[in-house]
């Protein structure tokens, strides 16, 4: 892609997100979301492949429908309440519509139908942006709405997302689709705890971005797109393969890795709110996700390709050493739990 065009697209992405994050008026927030949507489309179609065009079309139609619903519900709320400010109280009916529209933008089940197909039709670089940066603006709006949303709706969407995210990823062989269903499952945890503790939802969101970015960068370094290619990585980059295996286990939420931290705190908060049965159900649904994470770690560590590469490249002598900091954070943040809880 032309460097000037790429710089304009990245600037537009940043502008759209910053506009939504800093807006206090629903129209400004909607404009920021629209700029975000339109800026990512050229990145998705920079290689004019039919699958990329299909992914861009699906993404555009879904995001346009969600944006129209946000505009409609904010207009309805302005008509009922006489207020366009985001941080004021919102009428229950527009609040439900806004929650559904933002859930559609984020890819929360049952509105997740577009996310696996769009990620599969995109490159790993575009998939990284879609899974992390593009979720910042909708999540910021949802956090501002946290006191107005319907608790039962959030709990239902959260539980459904963790189940669908785990169930959908079990039979997948494509890395991007597995990461898409992983995203759906993690968003379920954030949505479930949003009304009860917005601070915990925010902490979970930041840790999700950290761990997902680490995995995307790892797979970009390994140039891996499906499960069968994972078995060749051990002979080429043994250190990076071992650490990425631990990153997968961290994303699944196993102690003593970083990913255990948000699940532990959220389950603890739900038990404090006398929601023990719900906490048990959402923890059991995580076992579905654990299955396909373990499948990936098995492919990386316990299987070898029939014809191994004869040109190993050492991780610390290559540009891949930029992964050192995110990899360390995505594995070893659990001892910093008291400091993180105090910070939020």
């Amino acid at each position: 892609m032309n460097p000037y065009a790429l710089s304009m697209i990245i600037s537009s992405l940043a502008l759209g997100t910053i506009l939504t994050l800093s807006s206090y008026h629903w129209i400004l927030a909607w404009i920021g979301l629209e700029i975000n949507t339109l800026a990512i489309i050229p990145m998705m179609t920079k290689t004019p492949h039919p699958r990329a065009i299909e992914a861009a079309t699906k993404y555009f139609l879904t995001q346009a429908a969600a944006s129209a619903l946000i505009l409609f519900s904010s207009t309805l709320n302005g008509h009922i309440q006489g207020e366009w400010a985001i941080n004021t109280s919102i009428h229950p009916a527009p609040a439900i519509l806004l929650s559904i529209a933002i859930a559609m933008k984020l890819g929360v089940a049952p509105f997740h139908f577009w996310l696996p197909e769009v990620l599969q039709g995109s490159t790993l670089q575009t998939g990284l942006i879609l899974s992390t940066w593009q979720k910042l603006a909708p999540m910021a709006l949802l956090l501002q709405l946290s006191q107005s949303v319907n608790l039962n709706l959030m709990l239902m969407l959260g539980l459904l997302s963790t189940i669908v995210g785990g169930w959908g990823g079990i039979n997948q062989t494509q890395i991007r689709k597995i990461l898409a269903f992983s995203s759906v499952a993690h968003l379920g945890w954030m949505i479930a705890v949003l009304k009860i503790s917005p601070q915990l939802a925010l902490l979970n969101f930041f840790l999700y971005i950290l761990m997902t970015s680490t995995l995307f960068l790892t797979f970009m370094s390994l140039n891996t797109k499906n499960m069968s290619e994972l078995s060749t990585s051990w002979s080429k980059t043994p250190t990076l393969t071992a650490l990425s295996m631990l990153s997968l286990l961290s994303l699944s939420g196993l102690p003593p890795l970083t990913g255990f931290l948000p699940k532990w705190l959220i389950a603890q908060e739900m038990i404090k709110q006398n929601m023990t049965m719900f906490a048990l159900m959402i923890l059991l649904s995580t076992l579905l996700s654990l299955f396909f994470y373990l499948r990936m770690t098995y492919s990386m560590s316990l299987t070898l390709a029939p014809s191994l590469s004869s040109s190993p490249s050492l991780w610390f002598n290559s540009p891949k050493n930029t992964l050192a900091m995110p990899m360390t954070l995505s594995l070893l943040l659990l001892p910093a739990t008291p400091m993180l809880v105090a910070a939020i």
Side-chain angles (χ1 to χ4, degrees), residues 231-246:
S231 57
T232 64
S233 58
W234 188 263
S235 61
K236 291 186 289 186
T237 51
T239 312
L240 181 57
T241 304
L243 289 172
S244 54
M245 181 187 71
L246 289 172

Side-chain angles (χ1 to χ4, degrees), residues 40-304:
I40 195 73
I41 299 292
M43 293 191 71
M44 297 172 72
T45 56
K46 65 181 177 182
T47 51
H49 190 272
R51 190 176 286 251
I53 304 296
E54 180 189 351
T57 307
K58 286 178 179 175
Y59 181 75
F60 175 74
L61 291 175
T62 310
Q63 298 296 309
S67 293
L69 190 54
I70 287 175
L71 194 59
F72 169 73
S73 48
S74 56
T75 307
L76 180 63
N77 183 66
H79 175 70
I80 296 171
Q81 303 281 86
E83 279 283 347
W84 282 90
I86 295 175
N87 55 1
T88 56
S89 62
I90 295 176
H91 192 268
I96 290 174
L97 290 176
L98 280 167
S99 305
I100 291 171
I102 295 172
M104 195 184 296
K105 275 198 165 290
L106 286 169
V108 174
F111 313 106
H112 70 290
F113 49 86
W114 60 273
L115 186 57
E117 298 299 324
V118 168
L119 273 188
Q120 181 57 30
S122 308
T123 60
L124 283 169
Q125 291 86 344
T126 311
L128 171 61
I129 297 171
L130 283 170
S131 299
T132 55
W133 185 267
Q134 289 295 89
K135 296 190 188 300
L136 286 173
M139 185 55 75
L141 289 178
L142 202 54
L143 284 166
Q144 291 183 75
L145 285 174
S146 59
Q147 297 311 311
S148 303
V149 295
N150 186 291
L151 177 61
N152 292 329
L153 175 66
M154 291 293 105
L155 293 176
M156 185 182 71
L157 290 179
L159 184 59
L160 188 61
S161 288
T162 54
I163 293 171
V164 168
W167 195 265
I170 282 177
N171 204 29
Q172 300 297 331
T173 57
Q174 298 294 320
I175 297 292
R176 286 163 292 182
K177 278 196 173 181
I178 289 175
L179 289 173
F181 282 110
S182 165
S183 173
V184 173
H186 278 84
L187 284 166
W189 280 86
M190 297 172 220
I191 294 294
V193 81
L194 183 77
K195 176 87 173 178
I196 302 164
S197 175
Q199 294 84 5
L200 272 184
L202 184 61
L203 175 64
N204 194 349
F205 182 59
F206 283 141
L207 292 177
Y208 156 78
I209 285 182
L210 171 67
M211 292 184 289
T212 304
S213 301
T214 304
L215 272 180
F216 266 104
L217 291 169
T218 302
F219 292 131
M220 283 157 58
S221 299
L222 296 173
N223 195 21
T224 305
K225 295 181 180 64
N226 56 50
M227 295 275 280
S228 59
E229 292 175 359
L230 286 175
S231 57
T232 64
S233 58
W234 188 263
S235 61
K236 291 186 289 186
T237 51
T239 312
L240 181 57
T241 304
L243 289 172
S244 54
M245 181 187 71
L246 289 172
S247 292
L248 283 166
L249 295 178
S250 178
L251 198 63
S252 67
L254 289 183
L257 303 169
T258 300
F260 176 63
L261 165 60
K263 289 182 171 58
W264 173 30
L265 293 175
I266 290 171
Q268 186 180 18
E269 184 65 32
M270 286 179 175
I271 291 167
K272 281 182 185 175
Q273 301 289 334
N274 295 321
M275 296 167 63
T276 310
M277 187 54 68
F278 183 85
L280 179 64
M281 288 166 65
I282 201 168
L283 283 168
L284 286 175
S285 67
T286 308
L287 294 176
L288 293 168
S289 302
L290 180 61
F291 178 80
F292 63 77
Y293 290 125
L294 288 176
R295 268 183 71 212
M296 291 175 75
T297 56
Y298 176 80
S299 298
M300 294 185 85
S301 59
L302 298 176
T303 59
L304 289 175

